[in-house]
Amino acid sequence: MPVSEGVRALEEGRAFVHLSGWRAFLAVGTDAVRWLNDLVTNRVDDIGPNELRRTLFLDRTGRVRADVHVGTVGRDPSNPDGFRIYQDPVQPRSLEDLLSPYVLSSDVELRPFDLGLGIVHSGIDAVQFMAWPGPRDRIGHFPVQSGETETGLPAMRTSTRIEATLQDAEVYRIRRGVPRFSVDFGPDFLPSEAAFDDLVDTTKGCFLGQESVSKVRNLGHPPRLVQAFDAPEPLSPMASITAAGEQVGRITSVAANDDGSTACIGWVRWEARDARLKAEGRLALARRAGS
């Protein structure tokens, strides 16, 4: 089944995407770097110039509350004034609101940021904004002035790079098997259930929810897993996943593959992680490599 030119360009690393509508705010002040580093799962006190780093914010039980992308602000990269933080708008709560109760007496100010985010192919892999594997990556990105639309940004257009839409990006994400917070898993999930262990830096010291995350790691496995599949026929999101006739999970995202099959993302209970699975009780699900 043919896909749009935008999807194909994303898969070939010759596209950029304007993440219009993404939440953006600043966390600045003399305590901002230490303060945020103590709250989120990934290390953010060594982010380099022109780098974005992905990290999670958890609650005290270790469940995911926000999945965000962080860059520094200030003229001195070795001593930044704080951070600019971007968040997918499908997430149920703004990280700005989630962080506010933790400011207390710290010299930290949270305020809106009026530059949006564009993501470009950066030479690491194909476009990374929904597929950053972990803390080592540098992500190609650029600021978007207020008022620019996803069909604008003429300076980014070249003979070899086109602008893909947000819908193109969603199809690309699903075909690549990348989970999305609030679509494929929700705030009752642990990072390990979404295969987001790479976004947890175990060497940096404390962060909110660390004890619960460590407990799950020490026990050996989470209660369920998000996995990527292929199905031979079209499917709908929320289709049940069964093993030996018993429901063990649910499909959460679907997109067409080139050969007419369906790329799927869904979650299954841990004990069914290697079982023979079916969707809607009839369609055999083939696990994607790495799932």
Side-chain angles (χ1 to χ4, degrees), residues 13-261:
R14 54 181 179 85
F16 69 93
V17 181
H18 174 198
L19 301 183
S20 58
W22 274 45
R23 300 167 184 151
F25 70 98
L26 297 177
V28 293
T30 58
D31 296 331
V33 174
R34 175 195 54 79
W35 174 81
L36 188 64
N37 196 59
D38 287 346
L39 288 171
V40 297
T41 60
N42 209 349
R43 191 179 189 109
V44 295
D45 62 352
D46 64 346
I47 297 176
N50 302 315
E51 178 182 1
L52 289 181
R53 188 167 295 171
R54 187 175 184 178
T55 187
L56 305 174
F57 176 75
L58 312 180
D59 66 12
R60 295 189 183 279
T61 69
R63 268 68 182 181
V64 178
R65 287 293 177 265
D67 174 6
V68 299
H69 310 288
V70 181
T72 59
V73 293
R75 295 184 178 182
D76 181 1
S78 65
N79 185 28
D81 299 330
F83 302 103
R84 51 195 168 93
I85 301 171
Y86 297 98
Q87 183 182 17
D88 186 345
V90 302
Q91 297 178 26
R93 291 193 62 186
S94 162
L95 182 61
E96 185 177 2
D97 292 340
L98 291 167
L99 289 176
S100 292
Y102 296 94
V103 172
L104 301 175
S105 60
S106 299
D107 180 20
V108 176
E109 179 186 1
L110 306 178
R111 63 173 186 259
F113 184 51
D114 62 0
L115 287 182
L117 181 64
I119 299 295
V120 296
H121 177 52
S122 58
I124 303 166
D125 197 350
V127 175
Q128 295 287 314
F129 68 95
M130 286 291 186
W132 301 354
R136 296 178 300 279
D137 290 335
R138 286 180 174 271
I139 308 307
H141 66 285
F142 59 95
V144 179
Q145 296 291 337
S146 178
E148 287 184 307
T149 69
E150 59 268 32
T151 56
L153 311 170
M156 284 302 303
R157 293 183 180 277
T158 69
S159 59
T160 58
R161 181 182 292 134
I162 71 167
E163 182 176 358
T165 68
L166 290 174
Q167 181 56 38
D168 292 334
E170 181 68 353
V171 172
Y172 164 80
R173 175 190 74 81
I174 298 167
R175 283 162 60 107
R176 202 168 182 204
V178 178
R180 186 179 184 185
F181 181 43
S182 296
V183 176
D184 301 301
F185 67 100
D188 57 335
F189 274 64
L190 301 160
S192 54
E193 293 180 289
F196 278 179
D197 288 324
D198 279 349
L199 301 182
V200 179
D201 189 329
T202 59
T203 69
K204 77 178 186 72
C206 295
F207 57 84
L208 191 66
Q210 181 188 32
E211 185 174 344
S212 297
V213 169
S214 298
K215 183 178 180 181
V216 172
R217 183 180 294 111
N218 293 336
L219 289 175
H221 65 79
R224 57 195 163 181
L225 291 173
V226 177
Q227 295 184 319
F229 310 96
D230 289 304
E233 297 178 19
L235 274 176
S236 299
M238 300 307 292
S240 63
I241 299 175
T242 58
E246 178 186 2
Q247 182 169 344
V248 295
R250 194 166 293 281
I251 296 294
T252 51
S253 291
V254 298
N257 284 320
D258 290 347
D259 62 2
S261 64

